[in-house]
Structures are given as C-alpha cells and as structure tokens.
C-alpha cells in the first residue's frame, strides 16, 4: 500500500502540518525536525504528490546572504554591492549577520532554508556545518572554503601578501610583523601569510606572525597588539590582516613612542571605499569588492541553472599608496 502523509507524520513523531511545512519549506523549522521528516520519507519510500513537488521546487526569487559581521567595512560594502545587484535582477534578499558564532550561523541557515531561498552567498568563517552539505541548494562562498562542492570567489591573496611585504621591505623595514587570522582555519586568506613568509625568507629576513581569532573581544585583541611591541620593541614594519586592525595598531604604536612612518611602517588589507575615503593615508591592499560581487552573482546564476562551475575564481588586487608606508 502506498504510504501517505499521515504515515510520514506518525513515523517522524510530528504533525501532518509539520510534514507539509517541511515539504513546502514554510516557516521556521529546526534542522532536527527537517531531518526526522526526511528520514521517515526515505524509510517509507514516500513520494510527495505532484502539488507538493511543485511547491517543493517552487522558485521564490529569494537569495540568502550570510556574513560574519556587516559592521566590518569590507563585509558591509560587499553586502551592499550584492544586495543592490540582486535587487536589480529581481531578487529579494535576506541577510544574516552571524557574528562568527557557529550556533547563530546554524540558526540563520535553518531560517533561510525554511524561507525557501533559491540560493545562498556566504562569507562566514565556520565550516563543517551540516546545512552546507545540501546538494540541491546553490551556494557560493566568498573567500571561504566551505566544502569541495561549493565554488569560492576570492581576491588574489598570495599576490596581495607579496605586494604588502615587498612594499614594506622596499621602504626599508626589516623587522616586519604580520597579523593573521586563526592558524587552524582553512581559508584562501592563508595565502597572504604564505606570501609574507616566502617573501621575508627570500630577502633573508625572519618572518614573525601573530594569530588573532575572529571571536575575541576588543580588549583581547588590543592585548595581542600591545604584546607585539613588548615582545619586539625594534619592530619597524607591520602587515595587518585587515584595515581595521591596521588602524588599531597605529593607535597602539603611539603609546610605545612609535611615529608613523618614521619609526613604523604599516600596510593594511581590504581597501574598502569607506576606509580609503576616511583614512586615505593608510597604505593598503585593495580587494576588488564590486568585481567580487559581480563574479559571485555570475557563478550563483550558473548554479541556479544547474550548470558547471569552477571550484575557485581568483580576482586581481591592487595597492593603495598612502603615507603609512
């Protein structure tokens, strides 16, 4: 006898309404509930009827954007570009601000999936989250490696790291410190550190880096940057992992009587428009934010149309020559 919706509900120990909501992706549902319903459907070999299948595959013209902190100038500008371009293509956008919290990220993902988004563009730091294994959902990552099936859009991190380090060396710095993200995180941004280390070694200089976790407080981060000057009073160059950190290091340097650029040279990374407008003196590596957004949408559209895509798209960076280096 062909199984019915009631049979699925009974086996999953949920109501018929909940099964319908799972099939139609309506309202908020926990991942546990979604999994229970699909497990029951698989065990019973239940096939939704034609109407349910149409609802299940319905195009909503909603795209989810999930990023770690839109207060960060780089992510804020990137999200603005993505939203503007998606809107012009007829899409509605739901934005999730995960704040680098994996639990918050999972909750946002569940809400996005429940709202029947057609696709996702993500720039979050957390990996190995089950929802990213959804083969039926088109996902594009920006500067993050989520899994081997999700294409990554990124700036040329290696070139950026090399340009920053070469700039510092050309200006006379010899004791150059590099601040990086967590060592354990698998991300294309790690190539900045690789380029820094290889460039330093090539010039006969000792590479030294300080890892800064994304989840630490402002006080903890300040403590790490203070420690740089305590551990290395002769530091004369810093390659910061982002512009916000570069500005913070500039402030801390003053406490240690380091004048910029006379005593300390600094190069940042990201080069968002707002940072270049407000702090034009900061020398920084500029990521092509508009081009990254364009490429992300181009690749997402290919995924929506179930066409083949590359695993990685690397876009060129440039250097903004300020007075800090």
């Amino acid at each position: 006898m062909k199984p019915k919706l009631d049979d699925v509900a009974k086996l999953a120990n949920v109501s018929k309404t909940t099964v319908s909501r799972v099939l139609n992706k309506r309202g908020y549902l926990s991942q546990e509930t979604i999994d229970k319903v699909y497990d029951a459907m698989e065990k019973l070999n239940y096939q939704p009827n034609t109407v349910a299948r149409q609802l299940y595959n319905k195009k909503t013209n909603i795209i989810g954007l999930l990023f770690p902190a839109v207060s960060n100038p780089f992510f804020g500008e990137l999200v603005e570009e993505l939203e503007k371009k998606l809107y012009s293509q007829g899409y509605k956008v739901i934005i999730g601000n995960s704040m680098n919290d994996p639990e918050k990220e999972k909750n946002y993902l569940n809400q996005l999936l429940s709202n029947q988004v057609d696709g996702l563009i993500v720039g979050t730091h957390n990996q190995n989250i089950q929802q990213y294994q959804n083969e039926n959902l088109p996902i594009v990552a920006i500067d993050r490696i989520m899994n081997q099936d999700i294409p990554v859009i990124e700036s040329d991190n290696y070139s950026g790291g090399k340009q920053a380090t070469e700039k510092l060396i050309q200006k006379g710095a010899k004791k150059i410190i590099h601040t990086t993200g967590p060592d354990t995180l698998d991300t294309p941004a790690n190539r900045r550190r690789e380029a820094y280390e290889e460039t330093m070694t090539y010039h006969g200089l000792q590479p030294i880096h300080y890892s800064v976790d994304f989840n630490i407080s402002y006080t903890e981060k300040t403590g790490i940057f203070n420690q740089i000057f305590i551990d290395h009073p002769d530091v004369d160059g810093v390659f910061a992992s982002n512009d916000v950190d570069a500005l913070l290091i500039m402030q801390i340097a003053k406490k240690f009587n380091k004048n910029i650029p006379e005593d300390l040279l600094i190069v940042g990374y990201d080069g968002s428009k707002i940072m270049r407008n407000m702090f034009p003196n900061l020398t920084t590596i500029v990521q092509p934010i508009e081009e990254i957004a364009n490429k992300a949408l181009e690749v997402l559209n290919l995924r929506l149309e179930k066409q083949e895509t590359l695993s990685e798209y690397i876009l060129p960076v440039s250097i903004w020559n300020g007075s800090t280096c």
Side-chain angles (χ1 to χ4, degrees), residues 42-106:
E42 184 175 351
K43 289 175 182 175
L44 294 170
N45 194 26
Y46 173 80
Q47 297 295 325
N49 61 32
T50 304
V51 174
R53 280 200 300 272
Q54 288 173 344
L55 285 168
Y56 183 81
N57 294 315
K58 183 180 178 183
K59 195 173 189 295
T60 62
N61 285 337
I62 299 174
I63 300 296
L65 305 181
L66 191 53
F67 286 87
V70 294
S71 60
N72 179 289
F74 172 74
F75 290 121
E77 190 171 312
L78 179 58
V79 168
E80 181 182 5
E81 284 290 337
L82 288 168
E83 189 279 332
K84 181 171 61 179
K85 295 175 188 302
L86 283 164
Y87 181 81
S88 70
Q89 293 182 18
Y91 287 105
K92 297 181 286 292
V93 175
I94 300 176
I95 300 171
N97 192 26
S98 72
M99 302 302 292
N100 298 312
D101 182 341
E103 286 305 313
K104 189 173 183 181
E105 185 171 342
K106 289 178 185 176

Side-chain angles (χ1 to χ4, degrees), residues 279-319:
F279 304 98
N281 61 319
L282 175 63
T283 299
T284 186
I285 302 300
V286 180
Q287 298 200 68
I289 294 176
E290 185 174 359
E291 288 82 357
I292 289 172
N294 285 335
K295 182 58 69 174
L297 295 184
E298 177 187 324
V299 175
L300 180 64
N301 282 320
L302 289 173
R303 302 285 280 194
L304 287 166
E305 294 166 5
K306 301 190 183 304
Q307 295 186 32
E308 290 293 322
T309 58
L310 302 177
S311 61
E312 190 174 36
Y313 297 81
I314 301 176
L315 303 176
V317 297
S318 59
I319 190 162

Side-chain angles (χ1 to χ4, degrees), residues 252-272:
I252 292 171
K254 294 176 183 177
K255 296 195 309 180
F256 291 87
N257 299 313
K258 296 276 189 181
N259 295 315
I260 298 168
E262 294 82 7
D263 305 316
L264 182 70
L265 300 170
I266 293 184
V267 177
Y269 206 101
D270 285 340
S272 63

